[in-house]
Amino acid sequence: QLQHSMEDISQPNRQSTTGVALEVLVSDAAFRLMVNLHAGYRAYDSTLFSETWVAALPEILTTGFMNGALSESILSVQPRFIEYLRLQAASRKFVRNNTLTDEWVDITYPNKDSVVLYGQIRSALQKYGYLNSKDVDGNLTGALKRFQYHHGLTPDGKPGKNTIEALEQSMLYKYRILALNLDRLRKQQNDETNKLWVNIPAYRMKVYQGNKLIDTFRVIVGSPSTPTPVLSSHMNKVIANPTWFVPKSITMNEIIPKIKSDSNYLKRNNFRLLDKDYKTVSYENIDMTGISADNFNYTIRQDRGADNSLGQLKFIFPSPYAIYLHDTPGKSLFSKDLRAFSHGCIRVQHPERLAGYILHEINADTTDIVNLIRSGRHREFGVNSELSIEIRYITCEADDAGRLFFYKDIYGTDKKELEKFTVEAGI
């Protein structure tokens, strides 16, 4: 309305005051956009002015205006982290190539009539662009495998529960999930330091040097009942051949019931019973039948070895949740597509490779970590240079080719956050 008023030549006396009001509104809109682009959707109020980055926005805006590069200056405030840049680029491709309707696909599952089931799957795959109407039946399995691959599932071409759940989602829902994860990445303010980037729903950890991907590891994360927390910290210690002091909750909920049913359980699994002074106590002399959380005044420790629950390597970082990265003797679990099995800690596949990277690239240490592990000797290494660890919950990622990967919302976090976010973002 102000723009139209300024263009009304019949009222020249109003143009100067109208121009001022228009400038205020447009500047305010630009600042709101810059705030959301830099740090995600948030309350636009006086508390923002305590942030140092907010004070820089007027200069960025005016410099862009004076240089004739207003759009570029506004967009420059976005994160430069490669995970964000990939997802942002893929979002443009997604919006161009899809109709964002809220039509959910209805697939009857389980279904004894395989003809009906595969007909519904075919329709869904055609809707999402994995199949076209001219594809013959033999291409259905290949298309389903591609769909599974892009949804963090084992690409076996078999329509299991998780595959069906992903096939049923509407395009508008996927768009909202994409937008929600862009917002999460904006809020996290990742810098370009060396980092270990753990994505919980992807069951994956990436190693970044600056903004360059160096290595990728499969990981096992916390179960829905004992979820891995989202946090930022820094790696400060690598431990070879660690012992394990069993947390009280695991002792009472899992170890004690096993001891009661199997008197040799502690001995067979290399556990020791320690008193309050951490001296070994003979568990044969203790009546385990009456043990409870109130009267069990011991600590259980598992000795070093290949069967230790922490495996042969442990990676320590400060955390209020007492979690860490570690090896595991349960290697077979890494072959599963959904790997939420731990009590909150993060189990790493090929931890000797991660330890080697930290020792050789970060510490400039020549220790042969594989031989050290094989020797069975306990040794601790401090981390000499900055290596941050970011544990995140990102349910939509993209690769350099602009392909999107959607992951199962294992903790139900998307559902809770999406309700608030869609109102804030107006989508």
Side-chain angles (χ1 to χ4, degrees), residues 17-63:
T17 56
T18 302
V20 171
L22 179 61
E23 171 64 22
V24 170
L25 286 179
V26 173
S27 298
D28 180 71
F31 287 135
R32 288 175 184 265
L33 176 58
M34 293 169 82
V35 165
N36 291 339
L37 283 173
H38 180 79
Y41 284 96
R42 59 187 60 212
Y44 187 77
D45 55 32
S46 59
T47 60
L48 280 172
F49 299 118
S50 64
E51 302 281 356
T52 55
W53 60 267
V54 175
L57 298 184
E59 183 178 355
I60 294 172
L61 187 65
T62 53
T63 300

mmCIF file of all heavy atoms in Angstrom, residues 17-63:
data_model
loop_
_atom_site.group_PDB
_atom_site.id
_atom_site.type_symbol
_atom_site.label_atom_id
_atom_site.label_comp_id
_atom_site.label_asym_id
_atom_site.label_seq_id
_atom_site.Cartn_x
_atom_site.Cartn_y
_atom_site.Cartn_z
ATOM 1 N N THR A 17 7.151 11.398 3.427
ATOM 2 C CA THR A 17 6.800 10.663 4.661
ATOM 3 C C THR A 17 6.469 9.211 4.360
ATOM 4 O O THR A 17 6.802 8.311 5.135
ATOM 5 C CB THR A 17 5.605 11.325 5.366
ATOM 6 O OG1 THR A 17 4.511 11.412 4.440
ATOM 7 C CG2 THR A 17 5.968 12.712 5.852
ATOM 8 N N THR A 18 5.829 8.970 3.239
ATOM 9 C CA THR A 18 5.520 7.594 2.855
ATOM 10 C C THR A 18 6.803 6.818 2.580
ATOM 11 O O THR A 18 6.935 5.650 2.937
ATOM 12 C CB THR A 18 4.632 7.579 1.599
ATOM 13 O OG1 THR A 18 3.437 8.302 1.859
ATOM 14 C CG2 THR A 18 4.274 6.149 1.206
ATOM 15 N N GLY A 19 7.787 7.482 1.955
ATOM 16 C CA GLY A 19 9.058 6.833 1.670
ATOM 17 C C GLY A 19 9.788 6.403 2.918
ATOM 18 O O GLY A 19 10.380 5.320 2.974
ATOM 19 N N VAL A 20 9.730 7.234 3.957
ATOM 20 C CA VAL A 20 10.370 6.886 5.230
ATOM 21 C C VAL A 20 9.698 5.660 5.840
ATOM 22 O O VAL A 20 10.357 4.715 6.303
ATOM 23 C CB VAL A 20 10.320 8.075 6.214
ATOM 24 C CG1 VAL A 20 10.789 7.628 7.597
ATOM 25 C CG2 VAL A 20 11.172 9.223 5.712
ATOM 26 N N ALA A 21 8.370 5.648 5.857
ATOM 27 C CA ALA A 21 7.639 4.512 6.433
ATOM 28 C C ALA A 21 7.916 3.234 5.651
ATOM 29 O O ALA A 21 8.091 2.146 6.228
ATOM 30 C CB ALA A 21 6.144 4.808 6.441
ATOM 31 N N LEU A 22 7.967 3.372 4.318
ATOM 32 C CA LEU A 22 8.259 2.215 3.478
ATOM 33 C C LEU A 22 9.671 1.683 3.756
ATOM 34 O O LEU A 22 9.882 0.476 3.861
ATOM 35 C CB LEU A 22 8.117 2.589 2.005
ATOM 36 C CG LEU A 22 8.406 1.474 0.997
ATOM 37 C CD1 LEU A 22 7.446 0.308 1.188
ATOM 38 C CD2 LEU A 22 8.318 2.007 -0.432
ATOM 39 N N GLU A 23 10.631 2.600 3.899
ATOM 40 C CA GLU A 23 12.013 2.198 4.181
ATOM 41 C C GLU A 23 12.103 1.430 5.500
ATOM 42 O O GLU A 23 12.806 0.420 5.611
ATOM 43 C CB GLU A 23 12.906 3.441 4.231
ATOM 44 C CG GLU A 23 14.323 3.195 4.718
ATOM 45 C CD GLU A 23 15.117 2.294 3.804
ATOM 46 O OE1 GLU A 23 14.762 2.183 2.617
ATOM 47 O OE2 GLU A 23 16.085 1.676 4.287
ATOM 48 N N VAL A 24 11.388 1.899 6.511
ATOM 49 C CA VAL A 24 11.400 1.220 7.820
ATOM 50 C C VAL A 24 10.846 -0.195 7.702
ATOM 51 O O VAL A 24 11.433 -1.164 8.209
ATOM 52 C CB VAL A 24 10.595 2.034 8.860
ATOM 53 C CG1 VAL A 24 10.390 1.212 10.132
ATOM 54 C CG2 VAL A 24 11.302 3.339 9.184
ATOM 55 N N LEU A 25 9.713 -0.347 7.015
ATOM 56 C CA LEU A 25 9.094 -1.671 6.897
ATOM 57 C C LEU A 25 9.957 -2.636 6.080
ATOM 58 O O LEU A 25 10.119 -3.805 6.444
ATOM 59 C CB LEU A 25 7.713 -1.546 6.248
ATOM 60 C CG LEU A 25 6.604 -0.970 7.125
ATOM 61 C CD1 LEU A 25 5.296 -0.890 6.347
ATOM 62 C CD2 LEU A 25 6.399 -1.845 8.362
ATOM 63 N N VAL A 26 10.515 -2.143 4.976
ATOM 64 C CA VAL A 26 11.340 -3.007 4.132
ATOM 65 C C VAL A 26 12.623 -3.408 4.859
ATOM 66 O O VAL A 26 13.073 -4.558 4.787
ATOM 67 C CB VAL A 26 11.649 -2.314 2.785
ATOM 68 C CG1 VAL A 26 12.646 -3.138 1.984
ATOM 69 C CG2 VAL A 26 10.379 -2.131 1.987
ATOM 70 N N SER A 27 13.236 -2.458 5.582
ATOM 71 C CA SER A 27 14.445 -2.777 6.346
ATOM 72 C C SER A 27 14.151 -3.805 7.426
ATOM 73 O O SER A 27 14.923 -4.750 7.658
ATOM 74 C CB SER A 27 15.037 -1.507 6.965
ATOM 75 O OG SER A 27 15.427 -0.603 5.959
ATOM 76 N N ASP A 28 13.019 -3.622 8.098
ATOM 77 C CA ASP A 28 12.622 -4.571 9.145
ATOM 78 C C ASP A 28 12.428 -5.966 8.554
ATOM 79 O O ASP A 28 12.867 -6.960 9.130
ATOM 80 C CB ASP A 28 11.329 -4.086 9.816
ATOM 81 C CG ASP A 28 10.863 -5.033 10.902
ATOM 82 O OD1 ASP A 28 11.521 -5.082 11.961
ATOM 83 O OD2 ASP A 28 9.863 -5.752 10.701
ATOM 84 N N ALA A 29 11.791 -6.047 7.391
ATOM 85 C CA ALA A 29 11.574 -7.340 6.743
ATOM 86 C C ALA A 29 12.907 -7.989 6.358
ATOM 87 O O ALA A 29 13.097 -9.201 6.514
ATOM 88 C CB ALA A 29 10.700 -7.162 5.506
ATOM 89 N N ALA A 30 13.850 -7.147 5.880
ATOM 90 C CA ALA A 30 15.169 -7.677 5.506
ATOM 91 C C ALA A 30 15.909 -8.224 6.724
ATOM 92 O O ALA A 30 16.521 -9.293 6.666
ATOM 93 C CB ALA A 30 15.997 -6.582 4.829
ATOM 94 N N PHE A 31 15.831 -7.492 7.841
ATOM 95 C CA PHE A 31 16.503 -7.954 9.055
ATOM 96 C C PHE A 31 15.889 -9.253 9.575
ATOM 97 O O PHE A 31 16.595 -10.153 10.024
ATOM 98 C CB PHE A 31 16.457 -6.880 10.142
ATOM 99 C CG PHE A 31 17.376 -5.723 9.876
ATOM 100 C CD1 PHE A 31 16.944 -4.411 10.061
ATOM 101 C CD2 PHE A 31 18.673 -5.923 9.441
ATOM 102 C CE1 PHE A 31 17.788 -3.341 9.812
ATOM 103 C CE2 PHE A 31 19.528 -4.867 9.187
ATOM 104 C CZ PHE A 31 19.075 -3.567 9.371
ATOM 105 N N ARG A 32 14.564 -9.353 9.512
ATOM 106 C CA ARG A 32 13.907 -10.594 9.944
ATOM 107 C C ARG A 32 14.385 -11.783 9.097
ATOM 108 O O ARG A 32 14.662 -12.858 9.618
ATOM 109 C CB ARG A 32 12.384 -10.453 9.834
ATOM 110 C CG ARG A 32 11.753 -9.546 10.884
ATOM 111 C CD ARG A 32 10.257 -9.372 10.606
ATOM 112 N NE ARG A 32 9.663 -8.430 11.542
ATOM 113 C CZ ARG A 32 9.041 -8.771 12.681
ATOM 114 N NH1 ARG A 32 8.971 -10.045 13.015
ATOM 115 N NH2 ARG A 32 8.532 -7.864 13.471
ATOM 116 N N LEU A 33 14.455 -11.547 7.802
ATOM 117 C CA LEU A 33 14.919 -12.603 6.910
ATOM 118 C C LEU A 33 16.362 -12.994 7.225
ATOM 119 O O LEU A 33 16.705 -14.174 7.276
ATOM 120 C CB LEU A 33 14.800 -12.150 5.453
ATOM 121 C CG LEU A 33 15.341 -13.122 4.387
ATOM 122 C CD1 LEU A 33 14.649 -14.473 4.485
ATOM 123 C CD2 LEU A 33 15.180 -12.531 2.998
ATOM 124 N N MET A 34 17.218 -12.005 7.470
ATOM 125 C CA MET A 34 18.625 -12.282 7.767
ATOM 126 C C MET A 34 18.776 -13.021 9.082
ATOM 127 O O MET A 34 19.606 -13.933 9.211
ATOM 128 C CB MET A 34 19.416 -10.976 7.785
ATOM 129 C CG MET A 34 19.503 -10.310 6.414
ATOM 130 S SD MET A 34 20.166 -8.634 6.474
ATOM 131 C CE MET A 34 21.932 -8.972 6.519
ATOM 132 N N VAL A 35 17.974 -12.658 10.069
ATOM 133 C CA VAL A 35 17.999 -13.365 11.358
ATOM 134 C C VAL A 35 17.638 -14.830 11.154
ATOM 135 O O VAL A 35 18.313 -15.740 11.645
ATOM 136 C CB VAL A 35 17.031 -12.697 12.363
ATOM 137 C CG1 VAL A 35 16.764 -13.619 13.554
ATOM 138 C CG2 VAL A 35 17.604 -11.373 12.852
ATOM 139 N N ASN A 36 16.568 -15.090 10.394
ATOM 140 C CA ASN A 36 16.123 -16.465 10.180
ATOM 141 C C ASN A 36 17.109 -17.262 9.323
ATOM 142 O O ASN A 36 17.312 -18.455 9.546
ATOM 143 C CB ASN A 36 14.746 -16.472 9.521
ATOM 144 C CG ASN A 36 13.655 -15.979 10.463
ATOM 145 O OD1 ASN A 36 13.827 -15.998 11.676
ATOM 146 N ND2 ASN A 36 12.554 -15.526 9.906
ATOM 147 N N LEU A 37 17.719 -16.601 8.346
ATOM 148 C CA LEU A 37 18.697 -17.291 7.501
ATOM 149 C C LEU A 37 19.958 -17.644 8.275
ATOM 150 O O LEU A 37 20.552 -18.701 8.068
ATOM 151 C CB LEU A 37 19.077 -16.412 6.305
ATOM 152 C CG LEU A 37 18.083 -16.329 5.151
ATOM 153 C CD1 LEU A 37 18.540 -15.295 4.133
ATOM 154 C CD2 LEU A 37 17.916 -17.686 4.481
ATOM 155 N N HIS A 38 20.360 -16.763 9.176
ATOM 156 C CA HIS A 38 21.598 -16.997 9.916
ATOM 157 C C HIS A 38 21.414 -17.965 11.078
ATOM 158 O O HIS A 38 22.288 -18.806 11.328
ATOM 159 C CB HIS A 38 22.138 -15.672 10.460
ATOM 160 C CG HIS A 38 23.420 -15.826 11.230
ATOM 161 N ND1 HIS A 38 24.640 -15.972 10.604
ATOM 162 C CD2 HIS A 38 23.674 -15.876 12.565
ATOM 163 C CE1 HIS A 38 25.584 -16.105 11.521
ATOM 164 N NE2 HIS A 38 25.031 -16.052 12.711
ATOM 165 N N ALA A 39 20.308 -17.854 11.770
ATOM 166 C CA ALA A 39 20.162 -18.597 13.030
ATOM 167 C C ALA A 39 18.840 -19.327 13.182
ATOM 168 O O ALA A 39 18.473 -19.732 14.282
ATOM 169 C CB ALA A 39 20.353 -17.646 14.204
ATOM 170 N N GLY A 40 18.095 -19.504 12.095
ATOM 171 C CA GLY A 40 16.844 -20.246 12.167
ATOM 172 C C GLY A 40 15.687 -19.407 12.663
ATOM 173 O O GLY A 40 15.865 -18.285 13.129
ATOM 174 N N TYR A 41 14.486 -19.968 12.544
ATOM 175 C CA TYR A 41 13.287 -19.263 13.003
ATOM 176 C C TYR A 41 13.330 -19.106 14.516
ATOM 177 O O TYR A 41 13.545 -20.074 15.243
ATOM 178 C CB TYR A 41 12.033 -20.019 12.585
ATOM 179 C CG TYR A 41 11.703 -19.840 11.127
ATOM 180 C CD1 TYR A 41 12.108 -20.771 10.182
ATOM 181 C CD2 TYR A 41 10.998 -18.720 10.691
ATOM 182 C CE1 TYR A 41 11.824 -20.604 8.838
ATOM 183 C CE2 TYR A 41 10.701 -18.549 9.351
ATOM 184 C CZ TYR A 41 11.123 -19.487 8.433
ATOM 185 O OH TYR A 41 10.843 -19.298 7.100
ATOM 186 N N ARG A 42 13.125 -17.884 14.979
ATOM 187 C CA ARG A 42 13.132 -17.609 16.410
ATOM 188 C C ARG A 42 12.359 -16.319 16.675
ATOM 189 O O ARG A 42 12.045 -15.576 15.742
ATOM 190 C CB ARG A 42 14.566 -17.466 16.929
ATOM 191 C CG ARG A 42 15.376 -16.360 16.263
ATOM 192 C CD ARG A 42 16.828 -16.400 16.728
ATOM 193 N NE ARG A 42 17.419 -17.690 16.391
ATOM 194 C CZ ARG A 42 18.362 -18.275 17.127
ATOM 195 N NH1 ARG A 42 18.818 -17.700 18.212
ATOM 196 N NH2 ARG A 42 18.864 -19.431 16.777
ATOM 197 N N ALA A 43 12.097 -16.080 17.932
ATOM 198 C CA ALA A 43 11.365 -14.865 18.298
ATOM 199 C C ALA A 43 12.169 -13.635 17.880
ATOM 200 O O ALA A 43 13.360 -13.533 18.168
ATOM 201 C CB ALA A 43 11.105 -14.841 19.797
ATOM 202 N N TYR A 44 11.498 -12.704 17.194
ATOM 203 C CA TYR A 44 12.154 -11.473 16.729
ATOM 204 C C TYR A 44 11.836 -10.388 17.744
ATOM 205 O O TYR A 44 10.856 -9.664 17.635
ATOM 206 C CB TYR A 44 11.631 -11.112 15.342
ATOM 207 C CG TYR A 44 12.351 -9.960 14.668
ATOM 208 C CD1 TYR A 44 13.610 -10.149 14.090
ATOM 209 C CD2 TYR A 44 11.777 -8.700 14.593
ATOM 210 C CE1 TYR A 44 14.268 -9.115 13.458
ATOM 211 C CE2 TYR A 44 12.430 -7.654 13.967
ATOM 212 C CZ TYR A 44 13.671 -7.863 13.401
ATOM 213 O OH TYR A 44 14.318 -6.829 12.775
ATOM 214 N N ASP A 45 12.679 -10.307 18.785
ATOM 215 C CA ASP A 45 12.402 -9.363 19.861
ATOM 216 C C ASP A 45 13.710 -8.773 20.396
ATOM 217 O O ASP A 45 14.791 -9.011 19.847
ATOM 218 C CB ASP A 45 11.607 -10.035 20.988
ATOM 219 C CG ASP A 45 12.300 -11.281 21.525
ATOM 220 O OD1 ASP A 45 13.546 -11.321 21.525
ATOM 221 O OD2 ASP A 45 11.603 -12.213 21.950
ATOM 222 N N SER A 46 13.614 -8.002 21.478
ATOM 223 C CA SER A 46 14.770 -7.262 21.990
ATOM 224 C C SER A 46 15.897 -8.159 22.480
ATOM 225 O O SER A 46 17.047 -7.727 22.553
ATOM 226 C CB SER A 46 14.329 -6.325 23.117
ATOM 227 O OG SER A 46 13.735 -7.062 24.174
ATOM 228 N N THR A 47 15.604 -9.421 22.811
ATOM 229 C CA THR A 47 16.673 -10.316 23.283
ATOM 230 C C THR A 47 17.704 -10.587 22.195
ATOM 231 O O THR A 47 18.846 -10.940 22.486
ATOM 232 C CB THR A 47 16.092 -11.655 23.766
ATOM 233 O OG1 THR A 47 15.392 -12.284 22.686
ATOM 234 C CG2 THR A 47 15.121 -11.449 24.925
ATOM 235 N N LEU A 48 17.309 -10.413 20.940
ATOM 236 C CA LEU A 48 18.250 -10.633 19.848
ATOM 237 C C LEU A 48 19.426 -9.663 19.894
ATOM 238 O O LEU A 48 20.521 -9.976 19.448
ATOM 239 C CB LEU A 48 17.535 -10.478 18.498
ATOM 240 C CG LEU A 48 16.721 -11.677 18.004
ATOM 241 C CD1 LEU A 48 15.938 -11.290 16.759
ATOM 242 C CD2 LEU A 48 17.630 -12.853 17.694
ATOM 243 N N PHE A 49 19.190 -8.477 20.423
ATOM 244 C CA PHE A 49 20.231 -7.452 20.376
ATOM 245 C C PHE A 49 21.415 -7.755 21.297
ATOM 246 O O PHE A 49 22.433 -7.066 21.255
ATOM 247 C CB PHE A 49 19.630 -6.076 20.691
ATOM 248 C CG PHE A 49 18.582 -5.669 19.697
ATOM 249 C CD1 PHE A 49 17.272 -5.462 20.079
ATOM 250 C CD2 PHE A 49 18.900 -5.522 18.352
ATOM 251 C CE1 PHE A 49 16.301 -5.106 19.159
ATOM 252 C CE2 PHE A 49 17.941 -5.164 17.423
ATOM 253 C CZ PHE A 49 16.637 -4.956 17.819
ATOM 254 N N SER A 50 21.282 -8.781 22.127
ATOM 255 C CA SER A 50 22.420 -9.195 22.949
ATOM 256 C C SER A 50 23.397 -10.070 22.159
ATOM 257 O O SER A 50 24.496 -10.354 22.620
ATOM 258 C CB SER A 50 21.928 -9.967 24.183
ATOM 259 O OG SER A 50 21.278 -11.171 23.787
ATOM 260 N N GLU A 51 22.981 -10.492 20.976
ATOM 261 C CA GLU A 51 23.829 -11.330 20.130
ATOM 262 C C GLU A 51 24.763 -10.447 19.294
ATOM 263 O O GLU A 51 24.301 -9.509 18.619
ATOM 264 C CB GLU A 51 22.967 -12.185 19.198
ATOM 265 C CG GLU A 51 21.976 -13.097 19.912
ATOM 266 C CD GLU A 51 22.636 -14.341 20.458
ATOM 267 O OE1 GLU A 51 23.844 -14.517 20.214
ATOM 268 O OE2 GLU A 51 21.944 -15.125 21.127
ATOM 269 N N THR A 52 26.047 -10.737 19.315
ATOM 270 C CA THR A 52 27.007 -9.892 18.592
ATOM 271 C C THR A 52 26.782 -9.931 17.083
ATOM 272 O O THR A 52 26.991 -8.926 16.393
ATOM 273 C CB THR A 52 28.451 -10.339 18.904
ATOM 274 O OG1 THR A 52 28.583 -11.741 18.604
ATOM 275 C CG2 THR A 52 28.780 -10.117 20.374
ATOM 276 N N TRP A 53 26.345 -11.093 16.551
ATOM 277 C CA TRP A 53 26.154 -11.194 15.105
ATOM 278 C C TRP A 53 25.018 -10.318 14.621
ATOM 279 O O TRP A 53 25.004 -9.875 13.458
ATOM 280 C CB TRP A 53 25.957 -12.646 14.683
ATOM 281 C CG TRP A 53 24.767 -13.337 15.311
ATOM 282 C CD1 TRP A 53 24.776 -14.081 16.456
ATOM 283 C CD2 TRP A 53 23.422 -13.361 14.825
ATOM 284 N NE1 TRP A 53 23.512 -14.554 16.727
ATOM 285 C CE2 TRP A 53 22.662 -14.140 15.745
ATOM 286 C CE3 TRP A 53 22.773 -12.812 13.731
ATOM 287 C CZ2 TRP A 53 21.303 -14.377 15.584
ATOM 288 C CZ3 TRP A 53 21.411 -13.042 13.569
ATOM 289 C CH2 TRP A 53 20.684 -13.812 14.480
ATOM 290 N N VAL A 54 24.042 -10.038 15.489
ATOM 291 C CA VAL A 54 22.914 -9.182 15.093
ATOM 292 C C VAL A 54 23.392 -7.755 14.827
ATOM 293 O O VAL A 54 22.928 -7.093 13.903
ATOM 294 C CB VAL A 54 21.810 -9.203 16.176
ATOM 295 C CG1 VAL A 54 20.693 -8.212 15.827
ATOM 296 C CG2 VAL A 54 21.231 -10.603 16.314
ATOM 297 N N ALA A 55 24.354 -7.293 15.619
ATOM 298 C CA ALA A 55 24.857 -5.930 15.459
ATOM 299 C C ALA A 55 25.533 -5.723 14.107
ATOM 300 O O ALA A 55 25.641 -4.587 13.621
ATOM 301 C CB ALA A 55 25.841 -5.612 16.582
ATOM 302 N N ALA A 56 25.975 -6.804 13.476
ATOM 303 C CA ALA A 56 26.658 -6.694 12.182
ATOM 304 C C ALA A 56 25.687 -6.635 11.006
ATOM 305 O O ALA A 56 26.084 -6.281 9.884
ATOM 306 C CB ALA A 56 27.614 -7.871 11.996
ATOM 307 N N LEU A 57 24.425 -6.970 11.228
ATOM 308 C CA LEU A 57 23.473 -7.054 10.120
ATOM 309 C C LEU A 57 23.238 -5.723 9.400
ATOM 310 O O LEU A 57 23.187 -5.708 8.154
ATOM 311 C CB LEU A 57 22.144 -7.644 10.610
ATOM 312 C CG LEU A 57 22.201 -9.080 11.163
ATOM 313 C CD1 LEU A 57 20.802 -9.565 11.511
ATOM 314 C CD2 LEU A 57 22.852 -10.034 10.161
ATOM 315 N N PRO A 58 23.081 -4.581 10.106
ATOM 316 C CA PRO A 58 22.865 -3.318 9.380
ATOM 317 C C PRO A 58 23.996 -2.989 8.407
ATOM 318 O O PRO A 58 23.734 -2.550 7.277
ATOM 319 C CB PRO A 58 22.764 -2.287 10.507
ATOM 320 C CG PRO A 58 22.274 -3.053 11.676
ATOM 321 C CD PRO A 58 22.938 -4.395 11.563
ATOM 322 N N GLU A 59 25.236 -3.208 8.820
ATOM 323 C CA GLU A 59 26.356 -2.899 7.934
ATOM 324 C C GLU A 59 26.355 -3.818 6.712
ATOM 325 O O GLU A 59 26.627 -3.381 5.590
ATOM 326 C CB GLU A 59 27.681 -3.031 8.684
ATOM 327 C CG GLU A 59 28.885 -2.658 7.826
ATOM 328 C CD GLU A 59 30.198 -2.731 8.573
ATOM 329 O OE1 GLU A 59 30.168 -2.975 9.801
ATOM 330 O OE2 GLU A 59 31.246 -2.563 7.935
ATOM 331 N N ILE A 60 26.042 -5.121 6.939
ATOM 332 C CA ILE A 60 25.975 -6.055 5.811
ATOM 333 C C ILE A 60 24.902 -5.616 4.823
ATOM 334 O O ILE A 60 25.108 -5.617 3.599
ATOM 335 C CB ILE A 60 25.692 -7.487 6.326
ATOM 336 C CG1 ILE A 60 26.864 -7.995 7.165
ATOM 337 C CG2 ILE A 60 25.411 -8.437 5.160
ATOM 338 C CD1 ILE A 60 26.591 -9.313 7.873
ATOM 339 N N LEU A 61 23.760 -5.211 5.361
ATOM 340 C CA LEU A 61 22.646 -4.809 4.512
ATOM 341 C C LEU A 61 22.963 -3.546 3.724
ATOM 342 O O LEU A 61 22.756 -3.484 2.501
ATOM 343 C CB LEU A 61 21.392 -4.601 5.367
ATOM 344 C CG LEU A 61 20.088 -4.334 4.616
ATOM 345 C CD1 LEU A 61 19.689 -5.545 3.783
ATOM 346 C CD2 LEU A 61 18.965 -3.996 5.603
ATOM 347 N N THR A 62 23.487 -2.522 4.402
ATOM 348 C CA THR A 62 23.761 -1.249 3.725
ATOM 349 C C THR A 62 24.916 -1.383 2.726
ATOM 350 O O THR A 62 24.883 -0.791 1.650
ATOM 351 C CB THR A 62 24.078 -0.138 4.738
ATOM 352 O OG1 THR A 62 25.119 -0.581 5.613
ATOM 353 C CG2 THR A 62 22.856 0.205 5.566
ATOM 354 N N THR A 63 25.926 -2.189 3.063
ATOM 355 C CA THR A 63 27.032 -2.400 2.128
ATOM 356 C C THR A 63 26.533 -3.074 0.861
ATOM 357 O O THR A 63 26.921 -2.698 -0.264
ATOM 358 C CB THR A 63 28.141 -3.247 2.783
ATOM 359 O OG1 THR A 63 28.631 -2.577 3.937
ATOM 360 C CG2 THR A 63 29.279 -3.498 1.808
#
